[in-house]
Amino acid sequence: MIGKEIIQANTQMLEANDYSLKDYFDQDKDIIVPLYQRGYSWEDKNMEVFIKDIYNNDKYYIGNIMTLPNEDEDIELIDGQQRMISTFLIFCCLKNVYKVDYDFSFLNDGKKIKIGTRAPSDDCRILEFIYENDIPLRYTSRREVKEYKKVVKTIESNNIDPILLLDKLLNVIIVEIKFISTETDAHNMFVNLNTKGKILENIDILKSQLFKYLGTDIEHGIEYYKEGWYETIKEIKDSNTQRYFDNFNDIYFKDKKEKNIEKVIKNINDLESAKKYYDNFCLNSSHSNGLCRCALAVYNHSTSYLNDIYSGNFSLSVLDGYLKLLEEAKFKQFDVVLIPLLHISDNRNLRKFKNNYTLIHKFFKFILMHQEIMSIKKSSPAIYGNDFKTTGSALFEDKDYKKNIKEFLNNRLRKHTPEDIRETLKSLVIDHTSTKHARHIIMLLQGNIDIQYPVEHFILLNDNDPLSMCIGNCIPVSVDNYGSLDIKNKLIKYNQNKSTEPFIKNFLKYKIDDSNYRDIIEERNNDLIEEYVNEYESLYSELKGE
C-alpha cells in the first residue's frame, strides 16, 4: 500500500480501513467534496480505462481515498473525489439506462455525494439530477454529465454485461485513510504521501502544502484561505491550472535547477512563507495587479482582467492588441515574461510602469516581430530554453524595465539578421492556410490591430502566379466582400470603402490602377519587407539603448 510506512509511524494521526465500495457507500454518512477542491475533471479515456479495469478483475482495488471527519461527522474528501464521483456515475447509468434490478438506496436518492458551492444553488445538485435521470439543459456541458454518457458508450462498445459490471463494482476494494487529528495534519500527510511515489496533480500538492501552514493562521482562519483558493482556481480554469502553476513558480522562485514542485515543498515551510506565496498566487492579492490577474490577461488575451488602476491619459489599448496577436502566434513560451511585465505590486511600481509604458509596448512589438519570423520558419520553441524564465524572475523582483529588457536582448535572444528576415519574408507563400502571417506583418507595421480581419488577395489567388501569394498582394479588410471582381471594379469598390477600411486606404496610396497593378504589387511587397527589417532593427537598437 502506498505510504504504508508513513501510516504505521503516525497511528495517532490517522487510521486506515478497507471496504467494498457497496459497504463504503452504505455508511450512514454523507461524502462531502469541499469547496476548495478542483471540479470533476475526468475525461473519456479515464472513464473507459476505469470501467474496463473494474470489469476485467475480481475485487479490483481502486486505490486510497483520504478523508477528514467534519463537524457534522460526515466524510470530507481530501483526495479521491474523481474516483468516487466516477463510481457514482457508473451506478447511475446501470440504474437509469440499463434498468438493472437492484436496490440503489445506498446512494441516498442521489444525495450521497455532496459537492460544495459558495452559496446555495442547483450547481451542488448535479449528481442528484443525474441519479434522477432528469438533467437540466444548462448542465449538459458539465464534465459529470459527459462522463455519465461515456459510461454508456464504454459498455456498448466493449460488450460489457451491465449485471456483471454492477456485481464487480459493488465489490471493488477501496482503502480509506482517515485523519483523526487536525486538518493541518491531514494536509501535511497528504503532501508526504503524494511526494513518495504517487503521481498527483502538482496543483493539489501545492494546495495541501499551503493549507497545512495556513490552517494555523489564527487571524484569518482556514475558511478565508479556502474561499480565496476556490475563487482563483475557478477563474484560472482546470485547463490552465498546470500552466499557471509552472509560470508562477518559474517567476516566483529564482532557482531554475529544481523542479517546481520540489521548490514549493522546500520553500513553503512555515506560516509566513505560506502567506506570502498565497498572496502572490491568488486572485484577490493585496497587489495592485497580482500575478494571477496578469496570468488571466495573458491566457485570455485581454487587459480587461487587470484591475482598473491606470488613471489619467493612459490606455492599455495597444497592449490589448498585442495580446490578441499573441493568441494567434501561440507563443506560450513568452507567458513567463509577459506576466511579470504586467505585474504591479503597489503605487510605486505603478508609477514605474506608467513611466516605462512606451518602452514596454515597444518590447511587446519587438517580441511579436521576432516570433513572427520564428513562426514562419517553423523554428522549435525549444530554442529559447530557460532564457525567458530567468528574465521573468528578474522582472518580478526588480521593475527596472530598461535594465532587464536590455539584459534579455544582450544575453538571452538570438537576433535575426536583416538578410535572414528578407529571405524569410520573400520566400513566404500566403495562401488560404497562412493568411495570419500577412495579417500580423501588416498590422504590426501599421499599428492598427484587429485579428478578426480576414485577408483579401488583390490579385486572385493562383498557385501558378507567385505574385498573387506574396505579402504585397494581401490586405486585411473588415469584411471580405470583394470576391472575384476584376481589377477595375475591385478598385472602384476599394475607393468607395476606404474611409472605413484603414488597410485599403493605405494600399491605395500606391496609385494603383488596372494597367500598373503587377508592378505596384511587387513594389509594395519589397516596401513591406524593408519596412519590417528597418522596424525590427530600430526597435532592437532603441530597446538596447544604442
Side-chain angles (χ1 to χ4, degrees), residues 369 421-422 425-426 438 441-446 470-476 503 506-507 510 520-536:
M369 294 185 76
I421 296 174
R422 288 189 186 98
L425 296 184
K426 284 179 180 178
I441 290 164
I442 294 169
M443 287 183 173
L444 281 168
L445 291 176
Q446 294 190 20
C470 71
I471 304 169
N473 189 47
C474 297
I475 312 168
F503 299 104
N506 191 277
F507 176 80
Y510 278 87
I520 292 296
I521 293 300
E522 188 169 354
E523 178 187 346
R524 180 173 182 256
N525 189 59
N526 291 331
D527 286 350
L528 287 171
I529 291 172
E530 285 307 307
E531 188 179 352
Y532 200 94
V533 169
N534 293 336
E535 181 70 2
Y536 179 88

Side-chain angles (χ1 to χ4, degrees), residues 185-380:
D185 290 331
H187 287 294
N188 186 30
M189 185 64 66
F190 177 83
V191 172
N192 287 335
L193 288 171
N194 285 292
T195 51
K196 294 198 175 185
K198 183 179 177 184
I199 298 173
L200 194 77
E201 293 283 353
N202 286 333
I203 201 74
D204 291 317
I205 299 174
L206 166 63
K207 174 185 66 185
S208 281
Q209 182 71 4
L210 285 170
F211 284 5
K212 76 178 183 181
Y213 297 113
L214 296 176
T216 66
D217 184 8
I218 298 173
E219 179 184 0
H220 290 104
I222 191 65
E223 295 304 321
Y224 165 82
Y225 293 109
K226 286 180 179 178
E227 178 74 8
W229 178 270
Y230 167 82
E231 190 67 27
T232 300
I233 299 304
K234 178 185 174 185
E235 287 296 320
I236 289 291
K237 296 184 172 48
D238 281 346
S239 58
N240 279 325
T241 51
Q242 185 62 43
R243 181 181 179 185
Y244 181 51
F245 175 88
D246 288 332
N247 287 159
F248 179 89
N249 289 296
D250 285 336
I251 293 163
Y252 190 75
F253 297 116
K254 291 181 180 179
D255 187 356
K256 305 304 172 195
K257 295 179 181 178
E258 293 182 306
K259 292 181 180 179
N260 278 330
I261 195 60
E262 293 171 354
K263 288 184 276 190
V264 165
I265 302 299
K266 177 181 176 181
N267 291 284
I268 302 176
N269 48 32
D270 57 23
L271 178 57
E272 183 180 354
S273 59
K275 288 173 70 174
K276 182 180 177 183
Y277 186 103
Y278 177 93
D279 184 44
N280 279 281
F281 185 88
C282 283
L283 179 67
N284 294 319
S285 168
S286 63
H287 295 195
S288 301
N289 266 317
L291 290 173
C292 183
R293 288 194 178 278
C294 297
L296 286 168
V298 171
Y299 300 163
N300 295 286
H301 318 291
S302 173
T303 55
S304 65
Y305 287 85
L306 302 176
N307 283 320
D308 185 16
I309 57 175
Y310 310 98
S311 57
N313 299 320
F314 191 80
S315 170
L316 294 180
S317 60
V318 175
L319 291 189
D320 205 63
Y322 289 161
L323 286 173
K324 287 176 171 56
L325 278 186
L326 278 167
E327 178 181 11
E328 285 199 339
K330 300 187 184 305
F331 190 25
K332 291 184 179 180
Q333 292 79 13
F334 199 54
D335 289 357
V336 75
V337 174
L338 285 180
I339 293 169
L341 200 65
L342 296 172
H343 167 257
I344 295 172
S345 60
D346 52 30
N347 287 335
R348 181 170 174 268
N349 281 340
L350 176 59
R351 287 193 296 272
K352 286 185 177 182
F353 185 88
K354 287 183 176 182
N355 292 338
N356 288 278
Y357 181 63
T358 301
L359 179 77
I360 291 167
H361 85 64
K362 286 182 177 180
F363 181 53
F364 263 76
K365 182 177 181 179
F366 174 81
I367 290 296
L368 279 164
M369 294 185 76
H370 183 86
Q371 175 59 17
E372 193 63 36
I373 301 301
M374 298 285 284
S375 177
I376 293 168
K377 293 167 67 176
K378 295 182 169 57
S379 298
S380 169

Side-chain angles (χ1 to χ4, degrees), residues 328-479:
E328 285 199 339
K330 300 187 184 305
F331 190 25
K332 291 184 179 180
Q333 292 79 13
F334 199 54
D335 289 357
V336 75
V337 174
L338 285 180
I339 293 169
L341 200 65
L342 296 172
H343 167 257
I344 295 172
S345 60
D346 52 30
N347 287 335
R348 181 170 174 268
N349 281 340
L350 176 59
R351 287 193 296 272
K352 286 185 177 182
F353 185 88
K354 287 183 176 182
N355 292 338
N356 288 278
Y357 181 63
T358 301
L359 179 77
I360 291 167
H361 85 64
K362 286 182 177 180
F363 181 53
F364 263 76
K365 182 177 181 179
F366 174 81
I367 290 296
L368 279 164
M369 294 185 76
H370 183 86
Q371 175 59 17
E372 193 63 36
I373 301 301
M374 298 285 284
S375 177
I376 293 168
K377 293 167 67 176
K378 295 182 169 57
S379 298
S380 169
I383 195 171
Y384 293 119
N386 288 327
D387 291 345
F388 285 1
K389 297 177 184 179
T390 303
T391 299
S393 293
L395 281 166
F396 177 64
E397 288 291 325
D398 180 7
K399 298 302 181 186
D400 189 334
Y401 297 100
K402 187 178 293 186
K403 181 189 76 175
N404 285 315
I405 290 172
K406 184 176 180 178
E407 193 275 339
F408 174 77
L409 296 177
N410 278 332
N411 302 317
R412 311 195 179 280
L413 187 86
R414 186 181 301 168
K415 175 180 170 289
H416 301 302
T417 65
E419 294 75 19
D420 185 33
I421 296 174
R422 288 189 186 98
E423 183 180 343
T424 301
L425 296 184
K426 284 179 180 178
S427 63
L428 178 61
V429 174
I430 308 293
D431 58 18
H432 288 306
T433 66
S434 59
T435 55
K436 72 174 185 178
H437 292 305
R439 178 168 55 248
H440 295 174
I441 290 164
I442 294 169
M443 287 183 173
L444 281 168
L445 291 176
Q446 294 190 20
N448 191 335
I449 296 171
D450 191 330
I451 63 169
Q452 303 302 320
Y453 274 35
V455 170
E456 145 86 348
H457 286 80
F458 178 69
I459 302 172
L460 288 181
L461 197 59
N462 183 344
D463 290 344
N464 297 316
D465 183 2
L467 194 64
S468 75
M469 295 183 285
C470 71
I471 304 169
N473 189 47
C474 297
I475 312 168
V477 291
S478 61
V479 180

Side-chain angles (χ1 to χ4, degrees), residues 7-19:
I7 295 171
Q8 290 174 342
N10 294 274
T11 54
Q12 293 183 343
M13 290 175 56
L14 54 83
E15 59 185 35
N17 295 288
D18 60 299
Y19 299 82

